[in-house]
Amino acid sequence: MITKLSLLDRDAALATLPAWRLNDAQDAIHRSFRFKDFSEAFGFMTRVALLAEAQDHHPEWENVYARVEITLTTHDAGGLSERDVRLARSIDGLLGG
C-alpha cells in the first residue's frame, strides 16, 4: 500500500526539490517547463513518459506549444507520496538538475 507523506516528510522532500512548488489544494507538487519549441517540449514529454512507465507512476500534465506543466500526486494515497518525489527527481535528472 502506498502511503501519503507526513507533513514533516513532505517538507523535507520539498527542500530537495527547489524547482517544484507545493499545491496545497491538491496535496501535490507542480513544475512548469519551457522549451525552445514544440518539438523540444514533446521530446521531453516522451522521455518523461518512459520514466513514468518504468516507475508505474504517471503525471498529470499539460502541453501548450513549448510549455509543459506537470503535477504529481498519488491519488491512491490521497496526496503526495514518495512515488511523486522519486518521479520529480527523475524528471529533474533529465534536465541535469
Side-chain angles (χ1 to χ4, degrees), residues 17-53:
L17 297 167
W20 293 81
R21 299 290 172 247
L22 180 64
N23 177 331
D24 273 323
Q26 292 181 280
D27 195 14
I29 53 177
H30 177 84
R31 183 167 177 191
S32 295
F33 301 86
R34 299 264 178 203
F35 299 94
K36 86 175 177 186
D37 57 26
F38 177 76
S39 181
E40 191 174 289
F42 193 82
F44 169 74
M45 291 178 71
T46 301
R47 291 188 305 277
V48 171
L50 294 172
L51 287 174
E53 274 298 298

Side-chain angles (χ1 to χ4, degrees), residues 44-73:
F44 169 74
M45 291 178 71
T46 301
R47 291 188 305 277
V48 171
L50 294 172
L51 287 174
E53 274 298 298
Q55 294 182 27
D56 191 30
H57 190 57
H58 304 92
E60 296 176 18
W61 57 6
E62 177 181 346
N63 167 241
V64 177
Y65 186 62
R67 179 180 51 86
V68 177
E69 304 281 335
I70 297 180
T71 299
L72 300 174
T73 191

